[in-house]
């Protein structure tokens, strides 16, 4: 896994993914998931994308109770942009490595 940092330089295939992820909006903060700090890490392979989202420790989400709805929207938007469109396998994990969403083309 590559840890995501805004100031880091990434290979071209990672830049393409980051550009797409910058259009995924966090419905709570109304910022994109990169600026909101929700992308913790990612791995890009030829036909596989793995993302780690910092969703389990966001106290703001827990305080207002919108976590499930916000996370579902974010994950759905990510899957819409990448599953089958760019990758045949997409995995989204939380910070404890629990799988939040999985897509595998059969």
């Amino acid at each position: 896994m590559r840890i995501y940092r805004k100031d880091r330089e990434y290979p071209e295939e990672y830049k393409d993914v980051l550009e797409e992820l910058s259009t995924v909006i966090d419905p709570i903060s109304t910022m994109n998931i990169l600026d909101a700090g929700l992308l913790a890490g990612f791995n890009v392979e030829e036909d596989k994308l793995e993302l780690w989202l910092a969703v389990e420790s966001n106290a703001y989400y827990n305080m207002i109770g919108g976590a499930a709805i916000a996370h579902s929207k974010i994950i759905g938007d990510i899957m819409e942009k990448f599953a089958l469109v760019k990758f045949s396998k997409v995995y989204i994990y939380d910070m404890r490595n629990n799988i939040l969403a999985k897509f595998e083309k059969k």
Side-chain angles (χ1 to χ4, degrees):
M1 167 178 68
R2 289 183 187 236
I3 304 298
Y4 173 70
R5 283 191 21 213
K6 199 172 203 166
D7 60 346
R8 181 177 284 173
E9 191 64 34
Y10 293 98
E12 199 59 41
E13 63 273 13
Y14 282 75
K15 287 179 185 177
D16 293 342
V17 168
L18 288 172
E19 187 175 314
E20 284 291 322
L21 287 173
S22 72
T23 66
V24 176
I25 303 300
D26 169 19
I28 302 291
S29 69
T30 67
M31 298 188 305
N32 72 54
I33 65 170
L34 304 178
D35 292 339
L38 294 177
L39 180 66
F42 63 132
N43 190 34
V44 178
E45 294 179 13
E46 187 173 311
D47 68 338
K48 181 169 108 177
L49 173 65
E50 295 176 294
L51 301 172
W52 282 263
L53 299 180
V55 293
E56 66 187 7
S57 62
N58 193 324
Y60 181 69
Y61 282 167
N62 295 333
M63 261 187 347
I64 65 170
I69 295 168
H71 297 164
S72 178
K73 170 85 170 99
I74 291 166
I75 290 167
D77 289 351
I78 291 170
M79 286 298 189
E80 184 179 303
K81 290 182 181 305
F82 295 107
L84 273 182
V85 178
K86 295 183 185 278
F87 298 95
S88 60
K89 297 176 187 171
V90 179
Y91 304 97
I92 302 174
Y93 305 95
D94 68 10
M95 293 304 293
R96 291 186 183 168
N97 238 14
N98 296 314
I99 191 98
L100 298 175
K102 173 172 92 170
F103 173 83
E104 294 175 336
K105 181 180 175 186
K106 300 286 179 181

